[in-house]
Amino acid sequence: QVLVVESGGGLVQPGGSLSVSCVASGSIFNIDDMGWYRQAPGKERELVATIASGGSTNYADSVAGRFTISREYNAKNKVYLQMNSLKPEDTAVYYCNSRGAYTNFTMFDAWGQGTQVTVSS
């Protein structure tokens, strides 16, 4: 079993910055990629940003240039999402996702419980 835990989040004013972090733990042999997704009330969950094991990143058009996903140095199981120039439309529950292989070489696709980010004055 893989446990994914997010931390951070909270309330911030428009134009402000916020950082969230995520760590995956358990019987992990390898992590292929980790990413952040979000779900606003009444909307479907959508991709925010991902980072692959090799370090390549991918961003949704709506956050490109404002958000940055990064990984703990030499620790592929811990990622961060730095969010700058936040807008009210960034308000959502942010979920962390981790995909890879267990120590028995079967694959996993694990999600955290989510952390609320609210952008409001």
Side-chain angles (χ1 to χ4, degrees), residues 6 36-38 48 67 81 83 90 92-95 114-115 117:
E6 303 100 339
W36 289 95
Y37 295 74
R38 68 186 182 187
V48 176
F67 291 12
L81 184 69
M83 302 177 284
D90 294 318
V93 177
Y94 284 69
Y95 296 91
T115 185
V117 172

Side-chain angles (χ1 to χ4, degrees), residues 16-31:
S17 298
L18 201 62
S19 178
V20 289
S21 62
C22 167
V23 60
S25 62
S27 303
I28 298 172
F29 174 73
N30 184 61
I31 291 178

Side-chain angles (χ1 to χ4, degrees), residues 3-10 18-24 34-36 68-72 77-83 94-97 112-117:
L3 182 64
V4 177
V5 179
E6 303 100 339
S7 60
L18 201 62
S19 178
V20 289
S21 62
C22 167
V23 60
M34 292 187 70
W36 289 95
T68 302
I69 188 170
S70 62
R71 192 169 58 201
E72 183 85 1
N77 67 321
K78 191 170 185 179
V79 293
Y80 306 93
L81 184 69
Q82 176 65 40
M83 302 177 284
Y94 284 69
Y95 296 91
C96 182
N97 172 259
Q113 292 298 308
T115 185
Q116 177 70 45
V117 172

Side-chain angles (χ1 to χ4, degrees), residues 48-101:
V48 176
T50 61
I51 184 165
S53 60
S56 60
T57 57
N58 180 50
Y59 294 93
D61 290 343
S62 59
V63 307
R66 299 188 297 122
F67 291 12
T68 302
I69 188 170
S70 62
R71 192 169 58 201
E72 183 85 1
Y73 181 73
N74 277 345
K76 295 181 180 180
N77 67 321
K78 191 170 185 179
V79 293
Y80 306 93
L81 184 69
Q82 176 65 40
M83 302 177 284
N84 299 327
S85 302
L86 282 159
K87 305 174 181 180
E89 51 263 44
D90 294 318
T91 296
V93 177
Y94 284 69
Y95 296 91
C96 182
N97 172 259
S98 178
R99 299 188 300 177

Side-chain angles (χ1 to χ4, degrees), residues 1-2 26-31 100-108:
Q1 183 180 359
V2 173
S27 303
I28 298 172
F29 174 73
N30 184 61
I31 291 178
Y102 290 109
T103 51
N104 65 2
F105 306 116
T106 59
M107 306 305 293
F108 68 84

